[in-house]
Amino acid sequence: MKNNLLRGKILKLLSDMYPDGIEQTSLIGIYHSYEKVDDITRSVEYLVDKGYVTRKDSPHPYKENMQVVYYKIAPAGLDLVEGNASSDSGIIIPLEA
């Protein structure tokens, strides 16, 4: 899958979960059968850098010196998915079935 389509699928998933987010390992688990883990993490970090997704690092509940990473769609990402913002050539939002 092209990275711009993967980015769109991640945004769509996060918009479906709004106002909640998803933990990084769960997000990777959804797509790892189809994509390389590095491609998934690069795609979601691209979305974070563009301001479409927020990232929150929290201390692991019982493992010292470990972090749990959560992703949540930002308002700009929600607007992009809903078609209320200018399109982004780096992201292809999949059509709903």
Side-chain angles (χ1 to χ4, degrees):
M1 181 182 321
K2 293 175 76 172
N3 284 337
N4 53 357
L5 182 56
L6 177 59
R7 293 176 197 137
K9 287 186 174 193
I10 291 169
L11 267 184
K12 181 71 175 101
L13 172 74
L14 291 173
S15 74
D16 291 343
M17 301 181 89
Y18 186 79
D20 297 320
I22 190 169
E23 196 262 325
Q24 183 181 42
T25 56
S26 297
L27 178 67
I28 290 170
I30 291 169
Y31 294 107
H32 87 280
S33 295
Y34 311 102
E35 299 295 330
K36 295 177 184 172
V37 172
D38 288 344
D39 289 342
I40 299 166
T41 55
R42 270 195 303 267
S43 291
V44 74
E45 289 301 327
Y46 173 91
L47 295 169
V48 169
D49 289 345
K50 292 282 267 188
Y52 297 127
V53 172
T54 59
R55 174 187 167 134
K56 180 180 177 187
D57 294 60
S58 299
H60 195 282
Y62 57 88
K63 293 183 179 179
E64 282 190 47
N65 301 320
M66 289 194 68
Q67 296 287 311
V68 179
V69 179
Y70 295 94
Y71 295 106
K72 179 180 174 182
I73 194 165
L78 201 54
D79 287 342
L80 186 66
V81 170
E82 293 175 348
N84 300 325
S86 300
S87 63
D88 186 317
S89 61
I91 302 168
I92 298 174
I93 307 295
L95 298 175
E96 294 186 38

